[in-house]
Amino acid sequence: MLEIYFGIAQVTSGSADWMQHENTIVIIVEDETRTKTYGGARVQIADGLLPLPIETAIGKYDPKIYSYVKNGSAEICGMWNSKEVAGMGIGSQVLARVGVVLAAQLPIDIFHVLCAPITTRVGKRVGFVIDESLGNKGTFFYPKDDFLATAMVINDCYNLDHADPKEKLLIADLRENLVQTKVEVGPKGTYEVNYNLKIPTLTPSATLK
């Protein structure tokens, strides 16, 4: 999708190394038959074995990221959605919200994300703030010289002091009811989602109706 719309063929989160990594949690949005996938993301926990994508992406620009990312850190990355559901908010708002819900269940203190300009606003809604200690006040030219990426972070995955108040309520509801059906409101109308966000007994998933 990045290559089609932006001419970007390679990003660090596109590596397949995570597929054999036991400290990576996959989020899948699929239909009720579980035969069609509409989108997904993953939450990768720092463990000293597999670098977080944000380390590989911006390390050559700002080596501070290597000391910043440590055990107790994680990153939400690899977020995407199919053309079929483009504009519904699934590949941005829903997946970002789910990532923050999962983060509260994990033994982490710091939650990272590297955002494109279009998703920085979504990151802010769910509680991320720009990490101005990195790069040029949090920004980098990545993965191309004409493409701006922003490093963002949540330093308290449970309290979410910087989240939008309405978004914070939605996140709290999902945290308290990890398995539920909700009607989500997106830019293109409403749709029903069956959430199953328990860790680690089942792969976290969201089924679209």
Side-chain angles (χ1 to χ4, degrees):
M1 299 300 290
L2 287 172
E3 188 170 10
I4 291 171
Y5 289 112
F6 303 107
I8 298 171
Q10 295 292 331
V11 292
T12 54
S13 61
S15 166
D17 294 344
W18 58 268
M19 294 184 69
Q20 305 301 323
H21 184 238
E22 64 179 14
N23 286 320
T24 292
I25 298 166
V26 177
I27 308 166
I28 298 173
V29 184
E30 56 190 0
D31 72 350
E32 289 183 286
T33 67
R34 309 195 76 172
T35 59
K36 181 182 291 187
T37 303
Y38 294 114
R42 70 183 192 270
V43 174
Q44 184 176 319
I45 303 170
D47 57 9
L49 300 175
L50 182 66
L52 297 186
I54 194 171
E55 293 181 82
T56 307
I58 69 175
K60 62 182 178 181
Y61 305 111
D62 192 339
K64 290 197 301 291
I65 189 66
Y66 296 124
S67 58
Y68 195 14
V69 171
K70 55 187 178 181
N71 288 347
S73 300
E75 179 182 357
I76 182 169
C77 53
M79 194 177 297
W80 70 279
N81 63 264
S82 68
K83 292 174 67 175
E84 188 174 354
V85 296
M88 293 176 63
I90 291 170
S92 53
Q93 195 66 53
V94 170
L95 286 173
R97 186 182 302 146
V98 167
V100 173
V101 171
L102 298 183
Q105 302 177 56
L106 300 173
I108 64 171
D109 302 311
I110 301 174
F111 201 30
H112 298 276
V113 67
L114 189 62
C115 291
I118 196 170
T119 53
T120 300
R121 176 178 54 85
V122 176
K124 289 180 178 179
R125 283 187 57 83
V126 298
F128 285 94
V129 296
I130 296 174
D131 190 345
E132 296 189 353
S133 69
L134 296 170
N136 181 13
K137 293 187 176 181
T139 62
F140 300 83
F141 287 108
Y142 171 84
K144 302 196 304 179
D145 290 342
D146 60 347
F147 198 84
L148 194 67
T150 302
M152 305 186 75
V153 66
I154 294 176
N155 288 307
D156 187 336
C157 294
Y158 190 78
N159 288 321
L160 299 177
D161 293 332
H162 300 284
D164 176 88
K166 292 182 179 179
E167 189 65 36
K168 196 170 181 178
L169 289 175
L170 294 172
I171 292 169
D173 179 62
L174 282 173
R175 285 178 176 176
E176 293 171 7
N177 304 279
L178 295 170
V179 180
Q180 62 167 296
T181 299
K182 294 188 68 173
V183 174
E184 298 291 358
V185 180
K188 291 187 176 181
T190 61
Y191 50 92
E192 191 173 273
V193 181
N194 297 324
Y195 287 96
N196 185 350
L197 305 180
K198 285 186 176 180
I199 305 174
T201 53
L202 291 175
T203 299
S205 65
T207 302
L208 183 68
K209 287 186 177 179

